[in-house]
Amino acid sequence: MTDIQLLPGLRELVDSIDRQKGAVVILGATDTGKTMLAFYLSWELQLRGRKVAIISADLGQSAFGLPATLGMAVLNNITISYQANRGPISIKNTKPHSIYFIGSTSPLGHLLQTAAGLKKLSEKAQGEGAEVLIIDTSGYVEGGAAWELKFHKIELVNARHIVAIQKEKELEDILTPHEHRRCRTIHRLKVYEGIRPRSYEQRREYRREKFSEYFKRAIIKIIPLSKVRLINPVNINKKNGSGSPYKRLLVGLNDDENITIGLGIIEDLGFKELHLLTPVEELKKVKIVRFGAIRLDEGWYDEKIS
Ligand SMILES: Nc1ncnc2c1ncn2[C@@H]1O[C@H](COP(=O)(O)OP(=O)(O)OP(=O)(O)O)[C@@H](O)[C@H]1O
Ligand SMILES: [Mg+2]
């Protein structure tokens, strides 16, 4: 990550969050600087002695954690370095505290799962004693479904602050219902002009790198079906391809609370056993195997199954 250019209004924003702690939802279209801002705010607030947690609610381009999941990190898990007098930050080795499997790299068609996961992870952050919870969202802001998702995310975490990074007025529809509510403060920021938009290919490549890194040390493991519940809401077209229709499907390996321990890729699903490629060493805690809506090909690129 590069150095952050301090945008006008940033100091006031930090002061305001510091005065009124709680959840902070960062909104913006793609390539508007949401993630950079999320880390910047986290870093500033922890310098002031606040306990800060971040949720990455971006399924495709999450800055930490894995694609197709939501991630929550408590700030003492994150390495942040600061170059004196310039206000810049860089973040390395962000290690999530908890992740929640969605199974898709976009919230479209997965709005409920995304909302439920956000709620679960925000409760986890609260359980860790976070005073400020920063929520970095995806750039999905256009249309009715995006509106609903953003509205309900804000409601679910009871956002104390909504930070809108806008080029023009593209977020105003999303902001309107929260205007003049005493429980929320809306902050409007301009997009930093030096941002270079990332292409579809660059985004796809980013996910591929994350998946290939994650599965680097994966081996085939066998889970007896008597030990786990399979949650398979996706109607896979069995006529597609040869062999098992589930082959190379991405799955979430979840614990009793339905929080994700790790990911796997289905090799084979029989009547009694599930054969999985996974780097998760200890499968004893896995109680739920949640089927995703994407496959990973041999080159670790993701493809939608329906
Ligand atoms: N205030 C800023 N100062 C300097 N560089 C910035 C700033 N904001 C963003 N950038 C640059 O633009 C890049 C993209 O920003 P960022 O990843 O925060 O955008 P985003 O809105 O989260 O994108 P996405 O829609 O992919 O999630 C950053 O990696 C950084 O290089
Ligand atoms: Mg981002």
Side-chain angles (χ1 to χ4, degrees):
M1 205 174 257
T2 50
D3 298 347
I4 191 163
Q5 304 299 312
L6 293 179
L7 300 164
L10 218 49
R11 178 73 39 211
E12 292 75 8
L13 175 59
V14 177
D15 289 343
S16 173
I17 297 171
D18 199 13
R19 275 195 308 274
Q20 306 270 349
K21 294 168 201 55
V24 180
V25 173
I26 300 179
L27 301 175
T30 44
D31 301 306
T32 51
K34 301 177 294 298
T35 301
M36 195 81 163
L37 183 68
F39 280 124
Y40 175 78
L41 292 177
S42 307
W43 168 75
E44 274 276 3
L45 286 155
Q46 64 105 46
L47 276 189
R48 294 183 183 200
R50 307 290 158 241
K51 182 134 189 190
V52 185
I54 310 185
I55 291 182
S56 174
D58 184 347
L59 297 171
Q61 305 297 307
S62 134
F64 60 90
L66 292 161
T69 70
L70 305 178
M72 187 275 284
V74 181
L75 205 64
N76 55 21
N77 283 346
I78 300 174
T79 316
I80 296 186
S81 63
Y82 171 61
Q83 289 169 294
N85 303 326
R86 293 181 56 199
I89 49 170
S90 69
I91 289 107
K92 287 186 198 118
N93 308 327
T94 313
K95 222 172 153 278
H97 172 282
S98 305
I99 61 171
Y100 187 90
F101 183 73
I102 303 295
S104 165
T105 57
S106 136
L108 211 71
H110 296 81
L111 302 185
L112 281 173
Q113 295 91 323
T114 307
L118 178 63
K119 180 73 181 159
K120 281 228 159 196
L121 293 186
S122 72
E123 283 168 358
K124 282 258 168 211
Q126 262 168 4
E128 290 296 316
E131 299 168 275
V132 176
L133 175 62
I134 311 258
I135 295 145
D136 179 19
T137 60
S138 71
Y140 176 52
V141 293
E142 263 179 50
W147 188 96
E148 289 290 353
L149 180 63
K150 300 299 175 202
F151 180 81
H152 288 97
K153 276 184 177 175
I154 291 166
E155 289 296 294
L156 275 174
V157 298
N158 196 19
R160 184 65 196 78
H161 299 270
I162 303 170
V163 183
I165 318 179
Q166 299 191 95
K167 285 186 186 132
E168 287 168 15
K169 296 194 170 195
E170 65 271 20
L171 300 174
E172 291 303 323
D173 280 351
I174 293 174
L175 300 177
T176 302
H178 307 285
E179 207 87 67
H180 312 304
R181 290 176 75 180
R182 256 187 298 152
C183 59
R184 315 224 189 285
T185 307
I186 298 176
H187 308 264
R188 290 174 173 82
L189 293 181
K190 290 231 165 301
V191 177
Y192 165 60
E193 285 178 358
I195 295 179
R196 267 181 288 152
R198 284 183 306 150
S199 65
Y200 170 83
E201 283 72 26
Q202 284 172 308
R203 289 169 180 270
R204 189 164 175 254
E205 196 56 40
Y206 177 81
R207 297 195 298 270
R208 190 196 76 82
E209 277 168 26
K210 289 250 178 174
F211 282 131
S212 87
E213 175 64 26
Y214 179 74
F215 284 103
K216 208 163 59 186
R217 282 184 202 87
I219 55 169
I220 300 282
K221 297 247 170 115
I222 298 170
I223 304 185
L225 294 182
S226 57
K227 299 273 185 227
V228 294
R229 281 270 155 267
L230 303 185
I231 306 185
N232 175 21
V234 183
N235 191 10
I236 295 177
N237 182 355
K238 298 200 181 206
K239 284 179 215 133
N240 266 353
S242 58
S244 166
Y246 298 105
K247 195 158 169 66
R248 302 280 312 172
L249 191 75
L250 186 70
V251 298
L253 306 174
N254 296 357
D255 66 13
D256 213 29
E257 279 184 85
N258 203 24
I259 293 287
T260 303
I261 296 166
L263 305 186
I265 297 172
I266 296 183
E267 272 299 306
D268 194 23
L269 175 62
F271 288 112
K272 294 200 169 152
E273 285 171 346
L274 176 63
H275 293 229
L276 276 181
L277 186 64
T278 180
V280 177
E281 284 169 16
E282 184 54 82
L283 290 171
K284 245 193 241 141
K285 286 193 181 145
V286 176
K287 300 288 174 212
I288 297 167
V289 178
R290 179 74 149 108
F291 285 28
I294 55 174
R295 282 196 180 91
L296 296 184
D297 71 15
E298 301 289 338
W300 305 105
Y301 286 107
D302 57 83
E303 54 185 32
K304 287 199 184 107
I305 55 159
S306 49

